[in-house]
Amino acid sequence: MQTEKEDEDDASPEEYVALSSFTGSGSDQLSFHSGDRLLVHAKPSSEWWWAELHEVIGYVPARYLRQDAAEDEDDEEEEEEEEDPWQDEEYFGSYGTLRLHLEMLSDKSRTEAYRQVILSNSASLRNKVVMDLGCGTGIISLFCAQLAQPSVVYAVEASSMSEYTRQLVKQNGCEEVITVLQGRAEELELPERVDILVSEWMGNCLLFEFMVESVLLARDRWLREGGVMWPSSAALTLVPCQAHSYYAEKMAFWERPYGLDFTPLQPLAQQEFFTKPKFSHLIEPDDCLAAPCNVICLDMYTLQVKDLEEIKAQFHFCVEKSGVFHGFTAWFTVHFESLETGGAAVELNTGPNSEPTHWKQTLFMLDRPVSVYTGDSIRGTIVLRRNPVWRRHMTVTMHWNINSSTEDTDNCQVGTKTFPMWR
Ligand SMILES: N=C(N)NCC[C@H]1O[C@@H](n2cnc3c(N)ncnc32)[C@H](O)[C@@H]1O
């Protein structure tokens, strides 16, 4: 009697299309290019399949492949939607309405930080050429024209908001200085290179949306030799934390609602509430179980687009107070170097010890909380893997080891979890 797998092996191979190129590592992984048609012979796991290309066989990452849907009109629309890995229509559509711009403009910490950058560099901005990448309503460009005397600011905005940005520039008498350009910054033609490339590109967990790719492409194409990037650097900070109220609200709730035992729903709750990261989480400083650590530091002058595919970092936390290890919380800080040598940098810190921002922090809940004690160590790695198909998405994988310091228990608890953001 054939096992299910043997059945599968005998099944005729299925044809799949590669949505993105993949370079295999190790002898048993098969490399391929975007558009290649592979024959999938077996699917031993959900993540790795056994496939063939030009008579060569090997393991391929399943998430890179899509079954070639039979051409029919119903799928045509879906196919078109699928063809855009940047989902630009939806993405720039969302920035064509006021909701997100109101949220960003209402974020005083964020907006005042950019204003402070312009104000504290106003003298050095005189006669400079500036690009404001992804200017939205144009607030940063308007700060430049209002607080300094640059020779020109190219306010670049891909969404339909740019029509209103033009009106705001006119309404505030800044047409002499600000030129609004609609389009993707990396595709635009400018009459000249720029001295300063300023952008507010940070997404949740720093990189979500991957607008940073556009900033790097624009840097390589339009920033003059010796020009300045604002932000100049970015850091992702991580900390092991307690999250008692969130855990109580989503998980403990099912223990005794109205005197009844609803615990059979807890696996569902874990799947529904703890599989993805929680954006806009507000962590209390007291929830931190250890000193936060800058796990990833990005230099905006040297960072390359290819570096964004996979960013890996190690961490080692020493538990400073006993408590419950519910998960990890992440946030970011960006720095704006001064245009004057030796001048003070401006910092925008989205962590729990700073004024809250609209990003707040990002909470990664473990499947099971673990009691930890002062002196325990939590070592591990964080890996940010960009989605090879959906280019604005990524996964965050945490591996951790908990080493207890108390002699009587030499327990070393190991864990790993991958969080999709969002695909
Ligand atoms: N997470 C953020 N800071 N998002 C801000 C995104 C703002 O920049 C705009 N934007 C994003 N990418 C681009 C791009 N490549 N070119 C021009 N505008 C862009 C977007 O329409 C919105 O107004």
Side-chain angles (χ1 to χ4, degrees):
M1 192 260 288
Q2 285 202 326
T3 62
E4 195 179 308
K5 183 172 167 327
E6 279 154 9
D7 278 343
E8 246 176 37
D9 287 356
D10 292 354
S12 55
E14 298 169 304
E15 182 166 273
Y16 279 76
V17 183
L19 292 163
S20 182
S21 300
F22 170 73
T23 306
S25 56
S27 59
D28 62 350
Q29 290 185 4
L30 182 65
S31 302
F32 51 81
H33 293 98
S34 174
D36 279 346
R37 294 178 172 284
L38 293 91
L39 285 177
V40 172
H41 289 277
K43 300 177 180 176
S45 81
S46 59
E47 291 210 0
W48 290 94
W49 292 351
W50 188 241
E52 176 189 349
L53 177 66
H54 311 320
E55 282 91 53
V56 180
I57 271 225
Y59 282 105
V60 296
R63 67 183 195 277
Y64 279 64
L65 305 182
R66 190 188 75 225
Q67 191 140 32
D68 216 5
E71 280 303 315
D72 93 32
E73 55 285 351
D74 309 353
D75 290 355
E76 249 144 51
E77 200 174 294
E78 200 184 291
E79 291 256 315
E80 268 138 43
E81 204 276 313
E82 274 184 12
E83 283 322 303
D84 176 11
W86 284 85
Q87 302 161 290
D88 273 357
E89 192 170 330
E90 174 194 341
Y91 180 75
F92 291 121
S94 67
Y95 282 110
T97 60
L98 277 182
R99 180 175 62 85
L100 293 174
H101 297 289
L102 179 60
E103 183 182 38
M104 294 189 285
L105 288 169
S106 306
D107 179 343
K108 279 187 165 311
S109 302
R110 162 204 178 267
T111 309
E112 289 290 353
Y114 277 84
R115 188 174 185 283
Q116 183 54 38
V117 172
I118 306 307
L119 196 56
S120 56
N121 288 281
S122 57
S124 308
L125 276 165
R126 175 177 289 280
N127 299 330
K128 291 290 192 312
V129 177
V130 181
M131 176 199 283
D132 175 3
L133 196 165
C135 67
T137 53
I139 184 72
I140 298 172
S141 299
L142 290 163
F143 286 157
C144 288
Q146 184 193 43
L147 305 169
Q149 288 76 35
S151 70
V152 57
V153 181
Y154 294 109
V156 178
E157 172 53 47
S159 76
S160 57
M161 187 52 64
S162 59
E163 298 147 40
Y164 293 95
T165 312
R166 254 185 215 101
Q167 290 179 40
L168 297 177
V169 165
K170 186 167 182 202
Q171 186 75 15
N172 290 278
C174 299
E175 302 133 286
E176 298 304 306
V177 176
I178 302 172
T179 303
V180 178
L181 300 168
Q182 175 166 15
R184 281 190 72 145
E186 59 272 42
E187 291 160 6
L188 276 183
E189 285 306 322
L190 292 185
E192 57 191 321
R193 282 181 172 260
V194 302
D195 300 303
I196 291 123
L197 198 170
V198 61
S199 179
E200 194 281 76
W201 54 263
M202 299 78 75
N204 278 292
C205 213
L206 182 59
L207 294 175
F208 183 64
E209 288 178 37
F210 281 90
M211 179 180 166
V212 63
E213 171 167 333
S214 303
V215 173
L216 300 181
L217 293 174
R219 173 200 68 191
D220 295 346
R221 187 166 175 202
W222 296 114
L223 187 66
R224 72 160 175 72
E225 193 62 36
V228 168
M229 293 292 286
W230 277 343
S232 319
S233 65
L236 185 73
T237 308
L238 195 67
V239 73
C241 69
Q242 305 192 124
H244 283 293
S245 48
Y246 189 62
Y247 187 81
E249 180 195 332
K250 301 297 186 190
M251 188 56 72
F253 171 82
W254 308 104
E255 269 148 30
R256 212 104 193 95
Y258 309 100
L260 296 164
D261 179 350
F262 272 35
T263 51
L265 292 181
Q266 289 190 319
L268 214 56
Q270 180 190 303
Q271 171 65 27
E272 191 169 326
F273 303 124
F274 295 171
T275 300
K276 295 186 174 180
K278 180 189 179 226
F279 279 359
S280 301
H281 178 67
L282 262 183
I283 183 174
E284 297 296 333
D286 280 352
D287 290 333
C288 297
L289 292 166
C293 164
N294 285 354
V295 288
I296 290 162
C297 297
L298 304 178
D299 178 333
M300 293 304 288
Y301 294 95
T302 58
L303 182 65
Q304 299 299 311
V305 171
K306 64 180 180 348
D307 302 333
L308 300 172
E309 286 312 304
E310 180 174 293
I311 302 175
K312 187 168 187 173
Q314 298 193 327
F315 54 74
H316 175 201
F317 296 103
C318 185
V319 176
E320 291 176 347
K321 64 174 192 181
S322 303
V324 179
F325 177 27
H326 284 109
F328 292 95
T329 294
W331 61 86
F332 64 82
T333 301
V334 287
H335 286 92
F336 304 81
E337 66 178 296
S338 169
L339 294 182
E340 285 127 34
T341 22
V346 173
E347 175 184 278
L348 170 56
N349 186 322
T350 65
N353 292 314
S354 303
E355 282 301 305
T357 69
H358 76 284
W359 290 285
K360 298 188 181 96
Q361 291 92 39
T362 304
L363 172 63
F364 298 89
M365 287 294 273
L366 307 189
D367 287 341
R368 267 169 308 286
V370 182
S371 294
V372 289
Y373 305 91
T374 308
D376 286 0
S377 86
I378 302 175
R379 292 171 193 275
T381 58
I382 176 172
V383 187
L384 282 72
R385 253 188 217 95
R386 193 172 179 186
N387 189 306
V389 178
W390 302 107
R391 302 305 279 154
R392 294 193 185 280
H393 298 254
M394 63 179 168
T395 58
V396 178
T397 300
M398 306 282 192
H399 299 277
W400 64 93
N401 292 5
I402 306 169
N403 280 299
S404 174
S405 59
T406 49
E407 296 68 45
D408 56 344
T409 56
D410 62 352
N411 71 328
C412 162
Q413 301 192 47
V414 183
T416 184
K417 185 168 179 178
T418 294
F419 300 82
M421 270 191 187
W422 293 113
R423 290 176 187 242

